[in-house]
Amino acid sequence: MDEFGRAFGLAVAMILRADPDLVAIVGLSLRVSLTAAGLGFVLGAPLGALLAATRFPGRGALLVLVNALLGLPPVVVGLVLYLLVSRSGPLGSLGLLFTPGAMVIAQGALALPIVAALSHRTCEALWAEYGDSLRVDGVGTGHAALILLAMAPAPLVTAFLAAFGRAIAEVGAILMVGGNIRGYTRTMTTSIALETSRGDLALALGLGLVLLSLTLAVSAAAFGINRVAASPRG
């Protein structure tokens, strides 16, 4: 217990004095995860809206697949991406292995199904209400999908925050394709695992506190946005 108390005190001190190693790791984590969440949003939101506004053979199976991918194991994503971008893989010439770019792709692959599923759920409800009117007005499928997205700013922000929360807390995939290289691909989650195994509990706890704070902030923001969106306007 005394050891934990000392480590916790050192962790708080590191945060308060903005320890350079801690700041660098947090900064890289935020850049990678925000970019990955943005990538997942740009691809996932239109996909969800299109699935809501269109009917075609196999649509049900595609929806099942999108929802199933919500539970996609990160290590499987990491393994597949590793095989693709390794030197002997089909994309090996791009030199992505053990780079932040590979980490963005891995986290983006995990974020995309979340955005697609949440966007589809929102747009499906809007399509049920406004779909007939859009069809009568002769609005094309792509345009209709954009209209549905424009009608749901709050749920879309929530979807982005959910994607970011998934990305920032991920460790397995980015460890496999990023390599946990100090000063280059070492993020909060991979650092926590490494420093704990090394016995550097102060840095691990400091990063853990920052990560926990970010997670709580994302959850609070999503809750607040949904509450404001659901409140009656008078």
Side-chain angles (χ1 to χ4, degrees), residues 210-228:
V210 174
L211 183 59
L212 180 60
S213 299
L214 284 171
T215 302
L216 291 174
V218 168
S219 297
F223 177 80
I225 290 170
N226 285 329
R227 188 167 184 176
V228 170

mmCIF file with all atom_site columns, all heavy atoms in Angstrom, residues 210-228:
data_model
loop_
_atom_site.group_PDB
_atom_site.id
_atom_site.type_symbol
_atom_site.label_atom_id
_atom_site.label_alt_id
_atom_site.label_comp_id
_atom_site.label_asym_id
_atom_site.label_entity_id
_atom_site.label_seq_id
_atom_site.pdbx_PDB_ins_code
_atom_site.Cartn_x
_atom_site.Cartn_y
_atom_site.Cartn_z
_atom_site.occupancy
_atom_site.B_iso_or_equiv
_atom_site.pdbx_formal_charge
_atom_site.auth_seq_id
_atom_site.auth_comp_id
_atom_site.auth_asym_id
_atom_site.auth_atom_id
_atom_site.pdbx_PDB_model_num
ATOM 1   N N   . VAL A 1 210 ? -4.236  10.206 -16.740 1.00 0.00 ? 210 VAL A N   1
ATOM 2   C CA  . VAL A 1 210 ? -4.571  11.031 -17.905 1.00 0.00 ? 210 VAL A CA  1
ATOM 3   C C   . VAL A 1 210 ? -5.572  10.304 -18.797 1.00 0.00 ? 210 VAL A C   1
ATOM 4   O O   . VAL A 1 210 ? -6.557  10.890 -19.265 1.00 0.00 ? 210 VAL A O   1
ATOM 5   C CB  . VAL A 1 210 ? -3.300  11.386 -18.702 1.00 0.00 ? 210 VAL A CB  1
ATOM 6   C CG1 . VAL A 1 210 ? -3.673  12.110 -19.997 1.00 0.00 ? 210 VAL A CG1 1
ATOM 7   C CG2 . VAL A 1 210 ? -2.369  12.251 -17.869 1.00 0.00 ? 210 VAL A CG2 1
ATOM 8   N N   . LEU A 1 211 ? -5.330  9.021  -19.033 1.00 0.00 ? 211 LEU A N   1
ATOM 9   C CA  . LEU A 1 211 ? -6.225  8.239  -19.881 1.00 0.00 ? 211 LEU A CA  1
ATOM 10  C C   . LEU A 1 211 ? -7.615  8.141  -19.267 1.00 0.00 ? 211 LEU A C   1
ATOM 11  O O   . LEU A 1 211 ? -8.630  8.286  -19.971 1.00 0.00 ? 211 LEU A O   1
ATOM 12  C CB  . LEU A 1 211 ? -5.639  6.841  -20.096 1.00 0.00 ? 211 LEU A CB  1
ATOM 13  C CG  . LEU A 1 211 ? -6.410  5.899  -21.030 1.00 0.00 ? 211 LEU A CG  1
ATOM 14  C CD1 . LEU A 1 211 ? -6.550  6.511  -22.415 1.00 0.00 ? 211 LEU A CD1 1
ATOM 15  C CD2 . LEU A 1 211 ? -5.702  4.551  -21.115 1.00 0.00 ? 211 LEU A CD2 1
ATOM 16  N N   . LEU A 1 212 ? -7.668  7.916  -17.969 1.00 0.00 ? 212 LEU A N   1
ATOM 17  C CA  . LEU A 1 212 ? -8.959  7.847  -17.288 1.00 0.00 ? 212 LEU A CA  1
ATOM 18  C C   . LEU A 1 212 ? -9.688  9.183  -17.366 1.00 0.00 ? 212 LEU A C   1
ATOM 19  O O   . LEU A 1 212 ? -10.905 9.232  -17.596 1.00 0.00 ? 212 LEU A O   1
ATOM 20  C CB  . LEU A 1 212 ? -8.752  7.444  -15.828 1.00 0.00 ? 212 LEU A CB  1
ATOM 21  C CG  . LEU A 1 212 ? -10.015 7.328  -14.966 1.00 0.00 ? 212 LEU A CG  1
ATOM 22  C CD1 . LEU A 1 212 ? -10.958 6.277  -15.533 1.00 0.00 ? 212 LEU A CD1 1
ATOM 23  C CD2 . LEU A 1 212 ? -9.643  6.986  -13.525 1.00 0.00 ? 212 LEU A CD2 1
ATOM 24  N N   . SER A 1 213 ? -8.946  10.276 -17.210 1.00 0.00 ? 213 SER A N   1
ATOM 25  C CA  . SER A 1 213 ? -9.554  11.607 -17.298 1.00 0.00 ? 213 SER A CA  1
ATOM 26  C C   . SER A 1 213 ? -10.119 11.861 -18.691 1.00 0.00 ? 213 SER A C   1
ATOM 27  O O   . SER A 1 213 ? -11.220 12.412 -18.840 1.00 0.00 ? 213 SER A O   1
ATOM 28  C CB  . SER A 1 213 ? -8.518  12.681 -16.953 1.00 0.00 ? 213 SER A CB  1
ATOM 29  O OG  . SER A 1 213 ? -8.044  12.521 -15.632 1.00 0.00 ? 213 SER A OG  1
ATOM 30  N N   . LEU A 1 214 ? -9.376  11.458 -19.715 1.00 0.00 ? 214 LEU A N   1
ATOM 31  C CA  . LEU A 1 214 ? -9.862  11.622 -21.084 1.00 0.00 ? 214 LEU A CA  1
ATOM 32  C C   . LEU A 1 214 ? -11.122 10.798 -21.324 1.00 0.00 ? 214 LEU A C   1
ATOM 33  O O   . LEU A 1 214 ? -12.079 11.267 -21.954 1.00 0.00 ? 214 LEU A O   1
ATOM 34  C CB  . LEU A 1 214 ? -8.774  11.209 -22.078 1.00 0.00 ? 214 LEU A CB  1
ATOM 35  C CG  . LEU A 1 214 ? -7.623  12.195 -22.284 1.00 0.00 ? 214 LEU A CG  1
ATOM 36  C CD1 . LEU A 1 214 ? -6.524  11.550 -23.122 1.00 0.00 ? 214 LEU A CD1 1
ATOM 37  C CD2 . LEU A 1 214 ? -8.121  13.469 -22.961 1.00 0.00 ? 214 LEU A CD2 1
ATOM 38  N N   . THR A 1 215 ? -11.124 9.569  -20.811 1.00 0.00 ? 215 THR A N   1
ATOM 39  C CA  . THR A 1 215 ? -12.286 8.703  -20.986 1.00 0.00 ? 215 THR A CA  1
ATOM 40  C C   . THR A 1 215 ? -13.516 9.297  -20.312 1.00 0.00 ? 215 THR A C   1
ATOM 41  O O   . THR A 1 215 ? -14.616 9.309  -20.889 1.00 0.00 ? 215 THR A O   1
ATOM 42  C CB  . THR A 1 215 ? -11.997 7.307  -20.403 1.00 0.00 ? 215 THR A CB  1
ATOM 43  O OG1 . THR A 1 215 ? -10.840 6.758  -21.040 1.00 0.00 ? 215 THR A OG1 1
ATOM 44  C CG2 . THR A 1 215 ? -13.173 6.377  -20.628 1.00 0.00 ? 215 THR A CG2 1
ATOM 45  N N   . LEU A 1 216 ? -13.335 9.801  -19.103 1.00 0.00 ? 216 LEU A N   1
ATOM 46  C CA  . LEU A 1 216 ? -14.451 10.423 -18.390 1.00 0.00 ? 216 LEU A CA  1
ATOM 47  C C   . LEU A 1 216 ? -14.925 11.686 -19.109 1.00 0.00 ? 216 LEU A C   1
ATOM 48  O O   . LEU A 1 216 ? -16.132 11.953 -19.188 1.00 0.00 ? 216 LEU A O   1
ATOM 49  C CB  . LEU A 1 216 ? -14.034 10.759 -16.958 1.00 0.00 ? 216 LEU A CB  1
ATOM 50  C CG  . LEU A 1 216 ? -13.799 9.564  -16.029 1.00 0.00 ? 216 LEU A CG  1
ATOM 51  C CD1 . LEU A 1 216 ? -13.257 10.034 -14.684 1.00 0.00 ? 216 LEU A CD1 1
ATOM 52  C CD2 . LEU A 1 216 ? -15.087 8.776  -15.834 1.00 0.00 ? 216 LEU A CD2 1
ATOM 53  N N   . ALA A 1 217 ? -13.982 12.458 -19.646 1.00 0.00 ? 217 ALA A N   1
ATOM 54  C CA  . ALA A 1 217 ? -14.348 13.678 -20.363 1.00 0.00 ? 217 ALA A CA  1
ATOM 55  C C   . ALA A 1 217 ? -15.151 13.358 -21.620 1.00 0.00 ? 217 ALA A C   1
ATOM 56  O O   . ALA A 1 217 ? -16.139 14.037 -21.935 1.00 0.00 ? 217 ALA A O   1
ATOM 57  C CB  . ALA A 1 217 ? -13.094 14.466 -20.729 1.00 0.00 ? 217 ALA A CB  1
ATOM 58  N N   . VAL A 1 218 ? -14.742 12.324 -22.343 1.00 0.00 ? 218 VAL A N   1
ATOM 59  C CA  . VAL A 1 218 ? -15.468 11.917 -23.550 1.00 0.00 ? 218 VAL A CA  1
ATOM 60  C C   . VAL A 1 218 ? -16.876 11.454 -23.189 1.00 0.00 ? 218 VAL A C   1
ATOM 61  O O   . VAL A 1 218 ? -17.860 11.823 -23.847 1.00 0.00 ? 218 VAL A O   1
ATOM 62  C CB  . VAL A 1 218 ? -14.700 10.801 -24.288 1.00 0.00 ? 218 VAL A CB  1
ATOM 63  C CG1 . VAL A 1 218 ? -15.571 10.165 -25.365 1.00 0.00 ? 218 VAL A CG1 1
ATOM 64  C CG2 . VAL A 1 218 ? -13.433 11.373 -24.917 1.00 0.00 ? 218 VAL A CG2 1
ATOM 65  N N   . SER A 1 219 ? -16.988 10.653 -22.132 1.00 0.00 ? 219 SER A N   1
ATOM 66  C CA  . SER A 1 219 ? -18.304 10.166 -21.707 1.00 0.00 ? 219 SER A CA  1
ATOM 67  C C   . SER A 1 219 ? -19.199 11.317 -21.267 1.00 0.00 ? 219 SER A C   1
ATOM 68  O O   . SER A 1 219 ? -20.388 11.359 -21.605 1.00 0.00 ? 219 SER A O   1
ATOM 69  C CB  . SER A 1 219 ? -18.144 9.160  -20.563 1.00 0.00 ? 219 SER A CB  1
ATOM 70  O OG  . SER A 1 219 ? -17.420 8.027  -20.984 1.00 0.00 ? 219 SER A OG  1
ATOM 71  N N   . ALA A 1 220 ? -18.627 12.262 -20.527 1.00 0.00 ? 220 ALA A N   1
ATOM 72  C CA  . ALA A 1 220 ? -19.404 13.410 -20.065 1.00 0.00 ? 220 ALA A CA  1
ATOM 73  C C   . ALA A 1 220 ? -19.856 14.271 -21.243 1.00 0.00 ? 220 ALA A C   1
ATOM 74  O O   . ALA A 1 220 ? -20.997 14.756 -21.275 1.00 0.00 ? 220 ALA A O   1
ATOM 75  C CB  . ALA A 1 220 ? -18.576 14.243 -19.090 1.00 0.00 ? 220 ALA A CB  1
ATOM 76  N N   . ALA A 1 221 ? -18.969 14.453 -22.216 1.00 0.00 ? 221 ALA A N   1
ATOM 77  C CA  . ALA A 1 221 ? -19.325 15.249 -23.393 1.00 0.00 ? 221 ALA A CA  1
ATOM 78  C C   . ALA A 1 221 ? -20.451 14.589 -24.180 1.00 0.00 ? 221 ALA A C   1
ATOM 79  O O   . ALA A 1 221 ? -21.406 15.251 -24.605 1.00 0.00 ? 221 ALA A O   1
ATOM 80  C CB  . ALA A 1 221 ? -18.096 15.441 -24.279 1.00 0.00 ? 221 ALA A CB  1
ATOM 81  N N   . ALA A 1 222 ? -20.349 13.275 -24.376 1.00 0.00 ? 222 ALA A N   1
ATOM 82  C CA  . ALA A 1 222 ? -21.392 12.556 -25.108 1.00 0.00 ? 222 ALA A CA  1
ATOM 83  C C   . ALA A 1 222 ? -22.724 12.631 -24.369 1.00 0.00 ? 222 ALA A C   1
ATOM 84  O O   . ALA A 1 222 ? -23.782 12.851 -24.979 1.00 0.00 ? 222 ALA A O   1
ATOM 85  C CB  . ALA A 1 222 ? -20.980 11.098 -25.305 1.00 0.00 ? 222 ALA A CB  1
ATOM 86  N N   . PHE A 1 223 ? -22.678 12.470 -23.047 1.00 0.00 ? 223 PHE A N   1
ATOM 87  C CA  . PHE A 1 223 ? -23.903 12.552 -22.251 1.00 0.00 ? 223 PHE A CA  1
ATOM 88  C C   . PHE A 1 223 ? -24.517 13.945 -22.342 1.00 0.00 ? 223 PHE A C   1
ATOM 89  O O   . PHE A 1 223 ? -25.732 14.103 -22.515 1.00 0.00 ? 223 PHE A O   1
ATOM 90  C CB  . PHE A 1 223 ? -23.594 12.209 -20.794 1.00 0.00 ? 223 PHE A CB  1
ATOM 91  C CG  . PHE A 1 223 ? -24.775 12.344 -19.872 1.00 0.00 ? 223 PHE A CG  1
ATOM 92  C CD1 . PHE A 1 223 ? -25.733 11.349 -19.811 1.00 0.00 ? 223 PHE A CD1 1
ATOM 93  C CD2 . PHE A 1 223 ? -24.931 13.466 -19.074 1.00 0.00 ? 223 PHE A CD2 1
ATOM 94  C CE1 . PHE A 1 223 ? -26.831 11.472 -18.968 1.00 0.00 ? 223 PHE A CE1 1
ATOM 95  C CE2 . PHE A 1 223 ? -26.014 13.603 -18.229 1.00 0.00 ? 223 PHE A CE2 1
ATOM 96  C CZ  . PHE A 1 223 ? -26.970 12.598 -18.172 1.00 0.00 ? 223 PHE A CZ  1
ATOM 97  N N   . GLY A 1 224 ? -23.670 14.968 -22.239 1.00 0.00 ? 224 GLY A N   1
ATOM 98  C CA  . GLY A 1 224 ? -24.171 16.336 -22.305 1.00 0.00 ? 224 GLY A CA  1
ATOM 99  C C   . GLY A 1 224 ? -24.780 16.669 -23.653 1.00 0.00 ? 224 GLY A C   1
ATOM 100 O O   . GLY A 1 224 ? -25.839 17.311 -23.730 1.00 0.00 ? 224 GLY A O   1
ATOM 101 N N   . ILE A 1 225 ? -24.125 16.224 -24.722 1.00 0.00 ? 225 ILE A N   1
ATOM 102 C CA  . ILE A 1 225 ? -24.647 16.493 -26.066 1.00 0.00 ? 225 ILE A CA  1
ATOM 103 C C   . ILE A 1 225 ? -25.998 15.823 -26.267 1.00 0.00 ? 225 ILE A C   1
ATOM 104 O O   . ILE A 1 225 ? -26.944 16.423 -26.785 1.00 0.00 ? 225 ILE A O   1
ATOM 105 C CB  . ILE A 1 225 ? -23.635 16.017 -27.125 1.00 0.00 ? 225 ILE A CB  1
ATOM 106 C CG1 . ILE A 1 225 ? -22.403 16.925 -27.107 1.00 0.00 ? 225 ILE A CG1 1
ATOM 107 C CG2 . ILE A 1 225 ? -24.260 16.013 -28.518 1.00 0.00 ? 225 ILE A CG2 1
ATOM 108 C CD1 . ILE A 1 225 ? -21.255 16.402 -27.933 1.00 0.00 ? 225 ILE A CD1 1
ATOM 109 N N   . ASN A 1 226 ? -26.109 14.572 -25.849 1.00 0.00 ? 226 ASN A N   1
ATOM 110 C CA  . ASN A 1 226 ? -27.378 13.856 -25.991 1.00 0.00 ? 226 ASN A CA  1
ATOM 111 C C   . ASN A 1 226 ? -28.480 14.498 -25.148 1.00 0.00 ? 226 ASN A C   1
ATOM 112 O O   . ASN A 1 226 ? -29.635 14.569 -25.568 1.00 0.00 ? 226 ASN A O   1
ATOM 113 C CB  . ASN A 1 226 ? -27.204 12.391 -25.582 1.00 0.00 ? 226 ASN A CB  1
ATOM 114 C CG  . ASN A 1 226 ? -26.465 11.593 -26.633 1.00 0.00 ? 226 ASN A CG  1
ATOM 115 O OD1 . ASN A 1 226 ? -26.570 11.875 -27.819 1.00 0.00 ? 226 ASN A OD1 1
ATOM 116 N ND2 . ASN A 1 226 ? -25.707 10.603 -26.208 1.00 0.00 ? 226 ASN A ND2 1
ATOM 117 N N   . ARG A 1 227 ? -28.107 14.969 -23.973 1.00 0.00 ? 227 ARG A N   1
ATOM 118 C CA  . ARG A 1 227 ? -29.104 15.588 -23.097 1.00 0.00 ? 227 ARG A CA  1
ATOM 119 C C   . ARG A 1 227 ? -29.605 16.901 -23.691 1.00 0.00 ? 227 ARG A C   1
ATOM 120 O O   . ARG A 1 227 ? -30.806 17.181 -23.672 1.00 0.00 ? 227 ARG A O   1
ATOM 121 C CB  . ARG A 1 227 ? -28.497 15.824 -21.716 1.00 0.00 ? 227 ARG A CB  1
ATOM 122 C CG  . ARG A 1 227 ? -29.505 16.291 -20.686 1.00 0.00 ? 227 ARG A CG  1
ATOM 123 C CD  . ARG A 1 227 ? -28.934 16.214 -19.292 1.00 0.00 ? 227 ARG A CD  1
ATOM 124 N NE  . ARG A 1 227 ? -29.926 16.564 -18.298 1.00 0.00 ? 227 ARG A NE  1
ATOM 125 C CZ  . ARG A 1 227 ? -29.725 16.500 -16.987 1.00 0.00 ? 227 ARG A CZ  1
ATOM 126 N NH1 . ARG A 1 227 ? -28.555 16.079 -16.534 1.00 0.00 ? 227 ARG A NH1 1
ATOM 127 N NH2 . ARG A 1 227 ? -30.672 16.838 -16.143 1.00 0.00 ? 227 ARG A NH2 1
ATOM 128 N N   . VAL A 1 228 ? -28.681 17.694 -24.228 1.00 0.00 ? 228 VAL A N   1
ATOM 129 C CA  . VAL A 1 228 ? -29.082 18.962 -24.847 1.00 0.00 ? 228 VAL A CA  1
ATOM 130 C C   . VAL A 1 228 ? -29.939 18.705 -26.082 1.00 0.00 ? 228 VAL A C   1
ATOM 131 O O   . VAL A 1 228 ? -30.950 19.376 -26.315 1.00 0.00 ? 228 VAL A O   1
ATOM 132 C CB  . VAL A 1 228 ? -27.833 19.792 -25.222 1.00 0.00 ? 228 VAL A CB  1
ATOM 133 C CG1 . VAL A 1 228 ? -28.225 20.985 -26.079 1.00 0.00 ? 228 VAL A CG1 1
ATOM 134 C CG2 . VAL A 1 228 ? -27.111 20.259 -23.964 1.00 0.00 ? 228 VAL A CG2 1
#
